[in-house]
Amino acid sequence: MLRHIAQYGGDPRKVFVSGHSAGAYLTCMLGMDPRWLRAQGWENPSLRGLIPISGQCITHFTLRAERGIPMEQPLCDDMAPLYHVGNPHLPPILLTTGDPELEMCGRQEENAYFCRMLKLNGHQDVQHLTFQGYGHDCALPSFPLAVQFIHRLAWN
């Protein structure tokens, strides 16, 4: 639990959340939709940064299947990270995806649009990087950039 991080030598001002694919979707939802951290007594500014790798920015496949919504049908409701781009209390975000021709169903384009909408809503500490030659397996080339992102924000 985040409230006990100091007891284990951690710094609650330096908590980053990252995940790949469904984990990236959960990373965004945790860091962008205040209800999830608020339920644990934390607020969005408590996180130092988000690093979703090849994350789904619209409503997740599982929820879409439960609701009978096809994968090709765009949907942006409160269970979509894209829905929360107007939250003024978002931490810095590093988005990474694979090549648009190799990545999952529109994933690179979703992330590019997500990044643009964050910026249009005043969130300037966000960047989206695409790795040519990689598909959904773009985690490996993302790691060095994630380390740089963490270093920039946690120790500068």
Side-chain angles (χ1 to χ4, degrees):
M1 177 49 58
L2 292 173
R3 70 175 62 104
H4 300 290
I5 194 169
Q7 295 172 350
Y8 297 96
D11 185 340
R13 298 166 300 159
K14 295 181 178 180
V15 175
F16 292 80
V17 179
S18 183
H20 175 256
S21 194
Y25 167 81
L26 295 172
T27 293
C28 288
M29 291 303 293
L30 179 71
M32 297 181 72
D33 182 348
R35 67 184 149 171
W36 305 112
L37 286 177
R38 193 174 295 134
Q40 300 300 317
W42 278 58
E43 298 293 332
N44 295 70
S46 301
L47 297 177
R48 192 66 193 104
L50 303 176
I51 310 167
I53 300 169
S54 192
Q56 194 165 1
C57 302
I58 59 175
T59 302
H60 195 268
F61 293 142
T62 302
L63 291 170
R64 297 162 72 82
E66 289 170 359
R67 296 174 181 174
I69 301 165
M71 185 171 62
E72 296 80 13
Q73 173 63 47
L75 176 66
C76 181
D77 61 6
D78 70 334
M79 292 305 291
L82 185 58
Y83 182 88
H84 301 282
V85 296
N87 178 343
H89 304 291
L90 299 177
I93 302 171
L94 172 64
L95 303 159
T96 63
T97 54
D99 187 313
E101 296 302 320
L102 302 173
E103 196 37 286
M104 290 181 77
C105 186
R107 191 64 54 98
Q108 187 276 341
E109 293 84 357
E110 275 182 42
N111 278 261
Y113 182 65
F114 183 51
C115 182
R116 183 68 182 137
M117 293 310 293
L118 284 161
K119 288 180 178 182
L120 287 174
N121 277 277
H123 189 67
Q124 296 306 308
D125 198 349
V126 59
Q127 63 177 331
H128 172 228
L129 302 169
T130 299
F131 297 103
Q132 298 304 315
Y134 287 87
H136 196 58
D137 61 343
C138 64
L140 188 61
S142 298
F143 294 150
L145 298 173
V147 170
Q148 290 173 7
F149 177 76
I150 292 168
H151 183 75
R152 174 177 67 87
L153 294 168
W155 289 278
N156 290 332

